[in-house]
Amino acid sequence: MMGLSSLVFTEFHSLGFSDLIVFVAPLWIAVAAGVLVGWVWRPKWAYLDSKLLSNSPKFLNLQLPTSILKTSSHHVNPSLSSKEKTGFVTDDDFRHLWKLVEVKDGGPCWIQMMDRSTPTFSYQAWRRDPENGPPQYRSRTVFEDATPEMVRDFFWDDEFRSKWDDMLLYSSTLERCKDTGTMVVQWVRKFPFFCSDREYIIGRRIWDAGRVFYCITKGVQYPSVPRQNKPRRVDLYYSSWCIRAVESKRGDGEMTSCEVLLFHHEDMGIPWEIAKLGVRQGMWGAVKKIEPGLRAYQRAKAAGAGLSPSAIMAHINTKVSAEEFMNERGSIAEVTGDKPTGKNIPKILVVGGAIALACTLDKGLLTKAVIFGVARRFARMGKRM
């Protein structure tokens, strides 16, 4: 689906210098205070050499969040089997999206931002701010007179996307698995003149739970495409949605409308408070561009236009019964779950040490995300003991 990065800059021209200072100054003060605490309280493991850490898979596997391990441990090339290629997007990703859709992920409460509609579609949006990480967004869009299959193909079709998404400068398919439908694609998106364009390496895959489509796209590691100064690569990216038929708002009882539940967050490399301001200002203007694109897509298909290569991949889905899958995974977790043991660890010591280590290694956004993931895991362990 259209990334929320396009919303951030729609209304930025209206911001003055004083407005930016109001948002940026508190952030710099918080960063300076955090670094000071980090150096004062850093634990012994903060002195570990980065090479030693990279050669300690057992240590990392015990501490890192599952999502980071998944995206950083798979280096796929065309010679790999279909089973290995599914490592880009796994059953754990499907399970996480299902929990988001069912509001069972245990995250903060969602705060409603918008509720707008036209005669042919409606749109609602929410935001929440996790303790660590960029703002997260949830939206519900209902298109009248549209099938889930058509909307699924529309959002997967990179070749057609350039006709309605004016931020997409370039797209290319790097990997595809014709057994599971897993893809790895490269996007370059246009940003305003005061920012460099952004590059995304995205893994994506679709699960089909009886015409309820769970479509997952997320940033993945792909060393075969080297990093460049420009465009700047976005590592932390998640944009996934659930597509299903719903009753038309005409009230005739017919399931002729299509609902899209989107969950999106990314770290574009700009202060999060400024990003939130841009989203609030430009959200509706950006969202309104999607529906004309969908209607043009419907007309093209009705006129006999064939499926593009990326849209063909949207038809290769992993069939699943969502409830049976979740029940099975829940039973496995109960049987194999282990209770943590150890001593209570002061939270300020862990967080401060993580800041110190992040500053010491200075390896970029992904390394810092890994380090803070370790710190959060230690802090949670300390709370439970």
Side-chain angles (χ1 to χ4, degrees):
M1 190 169 189
M2 186 177 183
L4 286 181
S5 54
S6 60
L7 305 178
V8 175
F9 300 102
T10 303
E11 299 289 337
F12 260 7
H13 64 276
S14 64
L15 294 178
F17 180 75
S18 61
D19 297 312
L20 296 179
I21 291 296
V22 169
F23 287 104
V24 174
L27 296 175
W28 281 111
I29 294 173
V31 169
V35 171
L36 178 62
V37 171
W39 283 113
V40 171
W41 292 92
R42 65 189 185 277
K44 292 182 180 181
W45 54 265
Y47 295 100
L48 290 176
D49 184 72
S50 59
K51 183 176 181 181
L52 179 61
L53 286 176
S54 64
N55 291 330
S56 304
K58 184 177 180 181
F59 169 78
L60 290 178
N61 286 337
L62 287 173
Q63 311 301 335
L64 298 185
T66 303
S67 59
I68 295 179
L69 289 174
K70 294 292 183 187
T71 58
S72 62
S73 62
H74 296 278
H75 297 168
V76 174
N77 57 64
S79 64
L80 293 181
S81 67
S82 61
K83 182 177 180 181
E84 291 171 307
K85 287 183 181 182
T86 60
F88 282 116
V89 187
T90 69
D91 287 343
D92 286 340
D93 295 305
F94 164 71
R95 187 168 185 252
H96 175 63
L97 176 57
W98 185 88
K99 287 183 175 181
L100 287 171
V101 171
E102 302 298 326
V103 197
K104 295 181 179 180
D105 65 307
C109 294
W110 295 98
I111 302 171
Q112 187 164 17
M113 300 173 58
M114 180 172 293
D115 188 349
R116 302 284 294 271
S117 64
T118 72
T120 54
F121 89 109
S122 60
Y123 180 79
Q124 297 170 296
W126 297 262
R127 192 199 76 238
R128 68 182 184 183
D129 299 303
E131 291 184 7
N132 297 291
Q136 298 178 0
Y137 296 91
R138 173 181 182 264
S139 68
R140 177 180 184 266
T141 308
V142 177
F143 298 103
E144 292 292 314
D145 301 313
T147 65
E149 290 80 5
M150 180 67 70
V151 175
R152 174 201 62 189
D153 294 356
F154 169 68
F155 284 130
W156 227 242
D157 195 328
D158 288 345
E159 290 81 359
F160 191 85
R161 177 179 285 269
S162 60
K163 297 181 180 181
W164 61 272
D165 184 353
D166 55 10
M167 287 188 67
L168 184 64
L169 295 178
Y170 172 82
S171 66
S172 174
T173 299
L174 305 176
E175 295 277 352
R176 61 166 59 93
C177 175
K178 294 184 178 181
D179 294 326
T180 65
T182 302
M183 300 178 68
V184 179
V185 300
Q186 179 187 23
W187 282 5
V188 176
R189 296 183 68 79
K190 180 182 179 181
F191 272 53
F193 68 92
F194 53 84
C195 291
S196 61
D197 296 333
R198 296 299 194 262
E199 176 193 40
Y200 299 78
I201 306 296
I202 299 170
R204 60 193 195 185
R205 183 179 171 189
I206 300 175
W207 277 259
D208 177 2
R211 297 191 71 219
V212 178
F213 299 106
Y214 293 85
C215 308
I216 294 170
T217 73
K218 67 175 189 176
V220 298
Q221 295 300 295
Y222 199 81
S224 300
V225 179
R227 294 176 179 272
Q228 306 177 58
N229 291 331
K230 293 183 179 181
R232 177 176 176 175
R233 183 168 298 180
V234 175
D235 288 302
L236 183 56
Y237 175 82
Y238 182 85
S239 190
S240 300
W241 54 97
C242 174
I243 301 174
R244 57 194 176 191
V246 293
E247 185 178 345
S248 170
K249 68 179 181 180
R250 290 190 292 265
D252 54 10
E254 298 295 326
M255 304 289 282
T256 54
S257 295
C258 180
E259 176 190 68
V260 179
L261 297 176
L262 168 71
F263 300 88
H264 182 103
H265 66 268
E266 63 178 289
D267 193 335
M268 296 174 286
I270 63 175
W272 295 336
E273 290 299 324
I274 295 179
K276 288 195 293 186
L277 176 63
V279 169
R280 285 197 303 268
Q281 294 294 324
M283 176 174 286
W284 180 242
V287 168
K288 287 192 298 184
K289 297 179 181 179
I290 300 176
E291 201 223 359
L294 173 61
R295 303 308 177 187
Y297 195 72
Q298 288 177 313
R299 291 192 296 271
K301 298 310 170 189
L307 292 174
S308 69
S310 55
I312 290 174
M313 295 299 294
H315 288 233
I316 306 174
N317 307 152
T318 302
K319 306 293 184 180
V320 64
S321 169
E323 292 186 1
E324 290 181 5
F325 179 84
M326 296 307 298
N327 290 337
E328 178 183 349
R329 293 301 299 267
S331 300
I332 295 175
E334 290 178 4
V335 172
T336 61
D338 295 325
K339 295 183 179 180
T341 58
K343 297 180 179 179
N344 192 19
I345 302 174
K347 187 174 182 179
I348 189 172
L349 179 64
V350 175
V351 175
I355 294 173
L357 183 57
C359 295
T360 302
L361 297 181
D362 192 23
K363 296 294 184 181
L365 173 64
L366 183 58
T367 299
K368 291 178 175 60
V370 171
I371 294 169
F372 283 111
V374 174
R376 289 197 300 272
R377 184 63 60 86
F378 272 124
R380 293 191 188 107
M381 289 171 60
K383 288 180 179 179
R384 293 193 295 264
M385 302 172 199

